[in-house]
Amino acid sequence: MAKRVLVGMSGGVDSAACVLLLQKQGYDVSGVTLRLHHYKDRPGTCGSADDIEEAARVAAQMGISHRVLDLCDLFRREVMGHFVSEYCAGRTPNPCLDCNRELKFGAMLDWALDHGFDYVSTGHYARVEHDAGGRYLLKCATDAGKDQSYVLWRLNQEQLSRTLFPLGGLTKQEVREIAASQGLVTAHKSDSQDICFI
């Protein structure tokens, strides 16, 4: 029986290509989008209503189930709240670190395991490998210009053991070509780069 993977779908090209690559590898793939805000009509705002609609459209195009996991309260507390307190203390926090650890590879992973999934996956450009002792190692992406391992360094062994990063060995151009070859509507969607709640 195929291993089940829950893919965090942002509505962008990377997570869509992630689904395609995992399907090609024989996994049973489902999609989930994390609701982080109740914003509407703010393109590029991660976790907004627009992204949810786009992700659902892409999931339907690829023939996979899609659900929404509402994490607005957790996001407000663990990501936004921590950012504000750190910024007010004169530090320069990176909210993506907290979001990845607490939400994507925290609450989303917990939900996935509770619902019979074997792994979670995202469109991050990073890799997970094993050392000789069987320890999981987070590695940078092959494309150093797209590497996102720096926002994932806080993941622990349990989280890494349950995570797949199929884009880690690809360039952004290759990812766009994979999506375009399947006619996905997100193939040429621009990257989101801002702090999603600013």
Side-chain angles (χ1 to χ4, degrees):
M1 188 162 86
K3 296 283 189 181
R4 298 181 68 208
V5 184
L6 185 67
V7 176
M9 297 184 70
S10 65
V13 64
D14 294 328
S15 56
C18 186
V19 169
L20 291 171
L21 291 167
L22 290 168
Q23 285 178 320
K24 190 174 182 180
Q25 293 171 25
Y27 290 103
D28 177 6
V29 181
S30 295
V32 65
T33 303
L34 307 182
R35 183 185 301 279
L36 306 179
H37 316 278
H38 293 288
Y39 303 143
K40 178 72 177 147
D41 299 327
R42 289 186 56 185
T45 302
C46 184
S48 69
D50 290 315
D51 280 351
I52 291 168
E53 291 169 7
E54 189 72 34
R57 202 166 23 252
V58 171
Q61 188 179 1
M62 292 187 289
I64 65 168
S65 65
H66 177 264
R67 58 190 45 86
V68 177
L69 191 58
D70 192 323
L71 298 179
C72 290
D73 291 339
L74 183 64
F75 183 77
R76 191 175 302 110
R77 183 176 68 249
E78 297 297 332
V79 179
M80 294 173 72
H82 184 252
F83 178 88
V84 170
S85 65
E86 288 292 288
Y87 194 79
C88 288
R91 292 183 281 270
T92 53
N94 183 333
C96 296
L97 295 174
D98 295 320
C99 187
N100 285 324
R101 186 181 64 178
E102 302 295 334
L103 279 76
K104 293 175 185 149
F105 303 98
M108 184 178 91
L109 175 58
D110 291 343
W111 188 94
L113 295 176
D114 288 346
H115 289 82
F117 289 89
D118 300 289
Y119 301 102
V120 295
S121 184
T122 63
H124 284 98
Y125 289 81
R127 297 175 295 130
V128 176
E129 295 180 359
H130 300 88
D131 67 11
R135 191 167 170 77
Y136 292 90
L137 304 174
L138 178 66
K139 298 284 195 167
C140 66
T142 303
D143 181 354
K146 285 301 295 178
D147 176 57
Q148 294 173 307
S149 60
Y150 68 98
V151 293
L152 300 164
W153 67 268
R154 294 169 83 180
L155 300 187
N156 61 37
Q157 287 293 292
E158 176 61 22
Q159 291 166 320
L160 290 173
S161 74
R162 296 291 190 159
T163 300
L164 303 174
F165 293 126
L167 306 188
L170 301 173
T171 66
K172 183 69 175 207
Q173 184 57 37
E174 289 170 327
V175 168
R176 289 196 184 282
E177 288 168 5
I178 289 167
S181 72
Q182 298 299 311
L184 296 183
V185 295
T186 57
H188 303 292
K189 187 175 179 180
S190 60
D191 292 346
S192 59
Q193 298 181 341
D194 297 326
I195 295 175
C196 63
F197 54 87
I198 299 293

